[in-house]
Amino acid sequence: MARYPRLMPTDPRMYSAEVVRSERISPSFQRVTIASAELAEFDWQGLDHWFRLFLPVARGNGLRLPDVRGRVWWKSYLSIPDEDRPHCSNYTVAAYRNLGDVGELDIDVVLHWHDGTLSGVAAWSAEAAIGSPVGILDQGVLFDPPEDTSAYVLVADESGLPAIRGILRDLPTDAVGTAIIEVPATDDVHDVQAPERVRVQWMPRDETGDLVGHRALKALQGSKAPGPDAYAFVVGESNLATQGRRALHRAGLPKDRITFSGFWKA
Ligand SMILES: Cc1cc2nc3c(=O)[nH]c(=O)nc-3n(C[C@H](O)[C@H](O)[C@H](O)COP(=O)(O)OP(=O)(O)OC[C@H]3O[C@@H](n4cnc5c(N)ncnc54)[C@H](O)[C@@H]3O)c2cc1C
């Protein structure tokens, strides 16, 4: 990912909010809804709009947020003592609702178990108590198709499902293309609202034992070359993002027409 993607706000804002709901929406996804009066001012861009999520370092602790000066928050973050420094990870706006005095934002968190236990944001989401504080720092969108784009190629594993779902929802209705979405299980296939001529190809791993991203990558490598005026957006486990970009470039798509981002590393 470019250090400062073109569509990142120059003066990103930090919003405080609290958890108002948390529900399991499919076997591998927990939807946490946060809300606050500040969030009523959130400038939602749709598509894959993402943010940095700050959580208290331990359950029941208060939340100490870093100061944000322009795009710089990292220095202030590191200056917070270890015992107070919040947990920070990147997430996508799965949905946003302006309810007048209050803004509500959904976060769809992938539940990934390691040795039978959840850690990090996944553990927080599954146990999120109503009223727990969070901070979110607006980071804008990564999706950046050239104006002459003739077709879209969207590829993701489950961590990129909220991003791809937002992009499909907001593409022009006459858009053409393919979306390849890998999910842990058939029951994790979500409803998507997509333009009629964008083919959505779900790739559940189910009990195959395949590494995350493997099935999506195979499907991409086996698909028709997209044509030099297409635009591709490939996100998810770092190998899927880099190998996906390589496959698309080999198939004739110029590198500057591919947005790729490793959302996490196995
Ligand atoms: C722009 C952007 C948007 C994102 N949007 C979302 C989103 O909407 N929903 C979402 O769930 N994720 C999303 N991600 C991915 C998320 O930031 C990572 O999964 C992150 O590692 C989670 O943070 P953590 O602190 O819980 O885990 P970490 O402390 O970073 O990792 C803990 C352990 O879990 C493993 N791990 C992390 N993520 C996964 C995973 N998905 N599957 C399996 N193992 C994993 C790591 O390899 C590590 O071993 C997004 C990432 C980016 C860059």
Side-chain angles (χ1 to χ4, degrees):
M1 196 194 314
R3 184 159 150 69
Y4 290 129
R6 210 166 65 83
L7 304 176
M8 181 185 178
T10 45
D11 225 351
R13 178 167 166 193
M14 177 79 85
Y15 299 82
S16 293
E18 58 180 52
V19 174
V20 292
R21 272 190 302 286
S22 177
E23 57 174 332
R24 183 75 73 89
I25 54 166
S26 76
S28 315
F29 282 89
Q30 186 81 16
R31 177 166 295 161
V32 181
T33 302
I34 60 170
S36 70
E38 284 182 23
L39 273 183
E41 289 165 23
F42 186 71
D43 182 18
W44 187 42
Q45 310 286 312
L47 297 165
D48 63 312
H49 198 156
W50 67 287
F51 55 87
R52 301 204 190 265
L53 174 68
F54 294 90
L55 304 174
V57 64
R59 207 177 166 175
N61 279 34
L63 179 62
R64 186 159 156 198
L65 292 171
D67 296 327
V68 183
R69 288 181 198 279
R71 284 170 167 164
V72 181
W73 56 276
W74 190 249
K75 285 183 190 159
S76 162
Y77 178 73
L78 289 180
S79 72
I80 301 175
D82 287 356
E83 61 277 19
D84 288 336
R85 190 179 310 133
H87 187 93
C88 173
S89 303
N90 304 321
Y91 280 84
T92 305
V93 180
Y96 173 77
R97 295 169 292 280
N98 187 313
L99 307 176
D101 292 348
V102 170
E104 268 195 4
L105 188 155
D106 293 338
I107 312 169
D108 288 355
V109 178
V110 175
L111 299 173
H112 48 92
W113 286 267
H114 302 275
D115 300 326
T117 54
L118 291 171
S119 63
V121 180
W124 167 84
S125 72
E127 298 160 3
I130 307 306
S132 354
V134 303
I136 71 165
L137 180 62
D138 185 4
Q139 299 289 282
V141 299
L142 292 171
F143 187 74
D144 191 16
E147 273 184 23
D148 62 351
T149 295
S150 59
Y152 298 87
V153 181
L154 312 171
V155 186
D157 66 13
E158 56 269 33
S159 66
L161 168 55
I164 302 276
R165 212 178 41 222
I167 292 167
L168 288 171
R169 179 196 58 220
D170 294 338
L171 277 178
T173 50
D174 60 354
V176 175
T178 319
I180 298 170
I181 312 171
E182 182 181 309
V183 284
T186 301
D187 288 345
D188 289 311
V189 171
H190 292 184
D191 281 344
V192 290
Q193 179 195 325
E196 218 167 278
R197 292 197 296 153
V198 176
R199 181 166 163 250
V200 181
Q201 204 178 334
W202 290 95
M203 307 295 301
R205 289 191 297 281
D206 288 322
E207 304 299 322
T208 57
D210 283 340
L211 292 176
V212 181
H214 182 80
R215 292 173 79 78
L217 187 60
K218 276 262 176 276
L220 175 65
Q221 288 165 336
S223 61
K224 213 172 116 231
D229 296 334
Y231 167 73
F233 182 89
V234 190
V235 299
E237 202 284 320
S238 123
N239 201 47
L240 170 60
T242 51
Q243 299 290 331
R245 176 186 191 237
R246 190 164 303 153
L248 284 157
H249 184 53
R250 279 200 188 129
L253 194 59
K255 284 186 180 164
D256 61 1
R257 301 185 76 97
I258 308 170
T259 297
F260 74 112
S261 176
F263 273 16
W264 64 283
K265 199 164 172 46

